[in-house]
Amino acid sequence: MDPQQLRTFVSVVDHRSFSLAARALGYTQSAVSQHIAALEADLDTPLVTRRPVAPTEAGVRLLEHARPLLLRLDAARADIARLRQVHPGRLTLACTPGALTPAVAHAVVRLRTTSPRLAVSVRTCGRGEAVEAVLTGTADLALVDGAAAPSDPLPLPDAGPLTAFAIAQEPLAVLLPATHPLAGRPALRLADLAAARWIEAPDAAVPLSHLRAAAQTDGFGHQLAYAGGDMRGLGTLVAAGGGLTTAALPAARHVPGVAAVPISVPRIVHRVEVLQPRSSTGPAAELSDILRPSQ
């Protein structure tokens, strides 16, 4: 399979249009049609219906392979490029919202103090996007947060050749409205809340699928989804009765109108990890050293 044909196929499926995919890729519509036809001939099966434009059953199956394959190809290109890279005076960080802690901010400022000409760019994004940014070289480091057992790594998307280490670990809490009957409890069992109404906020909080896995039970349904990364915005929805969510206990205690109750069972913590390339050097390596806990 030709990688460029795979890339064209993914773009056609994402845009549900041959013409929009052509515009996004900078091709003619005829070239896009030729790529899809060649890929279908290679695999000897239709991959995309034309009216409407949608993946066939085989196309859906191919899509499951195509995205990680293309990501790993981009990662390989970025990994090789780092070997010959001359490090400019810039540093790009990709952070999930909960990973941009005061300790991280102080580390960035400390690096800027020692390297005053260094231009630092920080952007917040989801976990998958943060991992992908470092893999493909659009970010030098990623800082990601999530929930895990005290001795387990974070459940992240395929990080390929990246290495990771933890820089912070705090108790994980459930956020409830301050008037909720359980708000005064000293601790809560996660499984006891499986039937409650939750808010799905995969970037600002622990994804509900991770809570199901941690509690080893079904449930944790939601009728409200929050796509932002602002913890106060999410807390406002909790305070209004929109549903429950989770956060690191210290941060959750400062959300107005919300009670933060630690989770006692299972043993689960909120962790922040640094993801970096194996060949990390220059400002990225300096910041990594600053963030790494002393042994």
Side-chain angles (χ1 to χ4, degrees), residues 153-179:
L154 289 179
L156 295 172
D158 178 23
L162 303 183
T163 61
F165 62 88
I167 61 172
Q169 186 166 291
E170 304 281 358
L172 186 69
V174 176
L175 273 62
L176 316 96
T179 56

Side-chain angles (χ1 to χ4, degrees), residues 18-178:
F18 279 65
S19 60
L20 292 178
R23 189 180 307 168
L25 295 169
Y27 296 156
T28 64
Q29 187 169 333
S30 174
V32 168
S33 297
Q34 290 173 14
H35 280 192
I36 299 300
L39 189 58
E40 290 178 328
D42 183 16
L43 296 175
D44 194 27
T45 187
L47 298 171
V48 180
T49 59
R50 269 54 175 182
R51 290 194 178 94
V53 176
T56 63
E57 182 180 359
V60 171
R61 190 68 59 85
L62 178 61
L63 200 62
E64 295 174 358
H65 297 283
R67 294 190 195 279
L69 281 172
L70 291 172
L71 177 57
R72 292 306 295 269
L73 285 173
D74 290 340
R77 184 181 297 277
D79 211 24
I80 298 303
R82 289 186 187 100
L83 295 177
R84 64 175 188 275
Q85 188 176 30
V86 177
H87 296 282
R90 61 174 176 78
L91 176 67
T92 301
L93 306 178
C95 301
T96 56
L100 194 53
T101 64
V104 171
H106 285 303
V108 171
V109 171
R110 176 180 167 187
L111 180 62
R112 282 281 292 110
T113 301
T114 58
S115 304
R117 295 186 178 180
L118 180 66
V120 180
S121 174
V122 181
R123 64 184 177 95
T124 58
C125 54
R127 292 171 183 83
E129 188 179 347
V131 173
E132 184 174 329
V134 182
L135 278 173
T136 58
T138 60
D140 301 298
L141 286 178
L143 292 102
V144 294
D145 73 308
S151 58
D152 291 346
L154 289 179
L156 295 172
D158 178 23
L162 303 183
T163 61
F165 62 88
I167 61 172
Q169 186 166 291
E170 304 281 358
L172 186 69
V174 176
L175 273 62
L176 316 96

Side-chain angles (χ1 to χ4, degrees), residues 171-200:
L172 186 69
V174 176
L175 273 62
L176 316 96
T179 56
H180 194 283
L182 300 177
R185 295 282 186 91
L188 290 169
R189 292 169 49 91
L190 187 59
D192 292 342
L193 301 172
R197 184 173 64 249
W198 288 78
I199 299 173
E200 178 65 285

